[in-house]
């Protein structure tokens, strides 16, 4: 029975080997089943103290593991789209309040225009979240050849903006895996009074790897972060995470009053951190994943994925006519096979073969075969089989 109130009894288990880690990963799946069987509504601590306690522990472990500000508010949502929505909702509320506009009373109409600056190669779901929030289309800022927002272009864009501003940065470009220059961009944005949000759906997990942490240098200075557990950490789907440095900004965006909701003191309740009200205890599988892996197990998991991506890239580079288009810094590889037509044909044959799944996509004006290493169980044999499958598809 998982009824967790004593944080000391839940300490990290260090020193697991990769093999042990792979064996133990099903803990998150089992926890997810238990969440369904328990059917606890994770709204307020007074009503469901067990699952709320587990989520609190998972939240504190997460911000410790990712090196984010310790007082941050954490909301467990369905995925990174809703985590982006959650962080950007807190941002919208805060920048409008700072501009003297009462969003809750007056809505958006007639208020100051909120400018949202995004890199031109951001993920489409950032735009979707902005649509949900009524903020319209973002203003795009030029990106470099890896898809990173250009700090010089961001500086120029900020100079031209009047009124409330939000800057959305990216940890992990879906084609290249590239990371924005967080330290420099966040300083520029904060100098202009902007809120900085980071979409780190899969890439924020680089924070948890000592070997890869340099990729996210300075990310902790942002104001909000979105990530997925279901991508990199690998509990079952329905597991995104929103983190906001100022928990009161989260409460300001999502809090509500109702006579039957008995708050536990000053505690920011579960429902005050997420867009939903009733919801499953989706933080429990996160707790189980972290408990079973430990700090070093999570780092191994991420390092193994990145190592597999490098091995796939090295293998694909030996396939006749293949060109790796990105610097493989994390878990993504984009490859072209000369013409767009041939790239599409190779992709089609690979998917028909069925040995491995890589997606067709289009990046920087070219068709690509896109690899995203994101399964916890991918091993060297899978990598070799995948490379062989691409080689066959490229030969046919
Ligand atoms: C960078 C990035 N942001 C956001 C998302 C959306 O995540 P989700 O599908 O969990 O909503 C993705 C999904 O691939 C992504 O790669």
């Amino acid at each position: 029975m998982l009824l967790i109130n004593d944080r000391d009894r839940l300490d990290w288990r260090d020193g697991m080997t990769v093999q042990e880690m792979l064996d133990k990963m099903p803990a998150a799946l089992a926890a997810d089943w238990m969440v369904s069987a328990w059917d606890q509504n994770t709204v307020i601590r007074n009503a469901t103290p067990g699952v709320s306690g587990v989520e609190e522990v998972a939240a504190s472990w997460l911000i410790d593991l990712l090196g984010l500000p310790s007082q941050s508010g954490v909301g467990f949502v369905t995925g990174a789209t809703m985590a982006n929505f959650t962080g950007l909702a807190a941002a919208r509320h805060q920048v409008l309040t700072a501009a003297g506009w009462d969003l809750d009373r007056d809505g958006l109409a007639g208020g100051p225009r909120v400018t949202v600056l995004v890199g031109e190669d951001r993920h489409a779901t950032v735009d979707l979240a902005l649509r949900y929030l009524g903020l319209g289309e973002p203003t795009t800022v030029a990106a470099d050849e890896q898809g990173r927002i250009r700090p010089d272009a961001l500086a120029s864009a900020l100079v031209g903006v009047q009124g409330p501003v939000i800057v959305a940065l990216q940890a992990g470009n879906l084609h290249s895996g590239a990371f924005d220059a967080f330290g420099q961009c966040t300083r520029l944005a904060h100098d202009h009074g902007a809120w900085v949000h980071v979409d780190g759906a899969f890439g924020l997990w680089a924070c948890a790897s000592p070997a890869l942490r340099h990729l996210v240098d300075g990310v902790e200075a942002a104001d909000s972060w979105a990530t997925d557990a279901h991508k990199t950490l690998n509990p079952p789907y329905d597991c995104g995470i929103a983190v906001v440095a100022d928990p009161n900004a989260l409460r300001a965006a999502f809090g509500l009053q109702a006579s039957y909701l008995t708050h536990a003191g000053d505690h920011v309740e579960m429902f005050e951190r997420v867009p939903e009200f009733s919801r499953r205890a989706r933080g429990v599988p996160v707790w189980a994943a972290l408990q079973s892996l430990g700090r070093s197990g999570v780092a191994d998991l991420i390092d193994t994925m990145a190592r597999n991506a490098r091995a796939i890239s090295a293998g694909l580079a030996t396939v006749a006519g293949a060109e790796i288009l990105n610097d493989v810094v994390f878990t993504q590889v984009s490859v072209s096979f000369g013409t767009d037509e041939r790239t599409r044909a190779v992709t089609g044959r690979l998917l028909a073969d069925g040995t491995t799944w890589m997606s067709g996509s289009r990046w920087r004006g070219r068709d690509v075969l896109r690899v995203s290493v994101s399964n916890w169980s991918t091993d060297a044999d899978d990598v070799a089989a995948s490379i062989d499958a691409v080689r066959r598809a490229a030969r046919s």
Side-chain angles (χ1 to χ4, degrees), residues 78-100:
T78 50
T81 304
M82 288 314 291
N84 279 327
F85 172 85
T86 303
L88 291 166
R92 179 186 67 168
H93 201 282
Q94 198 275 335
V95 296
L96 283 171
T97 303

Side-chain angles (χ1 to χ4, degrees), residues 121-349:
D121 216 356
R122 81 282 179 196
H123 196 268
T125 54
V126 171
D127 297 40
L128 187 61
L130 295 172
R131 264 162 53 200
Y132 295 161
L133 289 162
L135 293 179
E137 272 186 16
T139 304
T140 53
V141 177
D144 68 13
E145 76 296 341
Q146 296 297 318
R148 294 171 291 226
I149 196 168
R150 277 182 29 207
D152 61 323
L154 177 62
S156 310
L158 283 162
V159 168
V161 174
Q162 301 290 326
V165 192
I166 298 168
V167 174
L169 301 177
Q170 181 168 254
N173 176 288
L174 95 118
H175 288 107
S176 67
F179 294 74
D180 288 343
F182 298 111
Q184 191 180 0
C185 293
T186 302
R187 274 192 299 280
L188 286 168
H190 282 168
D191 286 349
H192 281 78
W195 175 291
V196 177
H197 172 77
V198 177
D199 173 10
F202 61 89
L204 197 66
W205 292 93
C207 293
S209 156
L212 297 168
R213 173 87 210 176
H214 63 278
L215 295 170
V216 282
D217 242 9
V219 78
E220 67 285 352
D223 302 292
S224 56
W225 304 264
T227 193
D228 266 325
H230 63 218
K231 285 198 173 65
T232 308
L233 190 64
N234 273 245
Y237 277 103
D238 190 342
C239 207
I241 300 159
V243 182
V244 177
D246 175 2
N248 289 316
L250 253 190
R251 175 184 257 170
F254 296 110
L256 57 84
Q257 297 290 330
S259 54
Y260 73 106
L261 294 172
T262 49
H263 284 239
D266 279 346
H267 173 73
V268 180
E269 290 285 1
M270 296 300 167
F271 74 89
E272 297 176 303
R273 309 174 195 186
V274 292
E276 310 101 317
F277 195 59
S278 300
R279 67 168 175 86
R280 68 190 273 104
R282 56 174 71 95
V284 175
V286 173
W287 174 88
L290 296 179
Q291 168 68 12
S292 72
L293 296 174
R295 193 186 293 275
S296 64
V298 175
D300 271 354
L301 175 76
I302 296 159
D303 293 349
T304 302
M305 285 179 183
R307 195 167 49 247
N308 285 338
R310 289 195 298 275
I312 288 172
S313 165
L316 295 187
T318 67
V319 174
E323 182 192 354
I324 308 298
L325 300 181
N326 64 309
D327 296 339
V328 181
V329 294
F330 197 53
T331 53
Q332 315 291 306
V333 186
S334 284
V335 53
S336 152
F337 294 87
T339 63
D340 285 351
E341 198 184 5
R342 180 161 185 249
T343 302
R344 282 197 299 274
V346 173
T347 304
R349 286 194 290 269

Side-chain angles (χ1 to χ4, degrees), residues 186 355 367:
T186 302
T355 302
D367 276 41

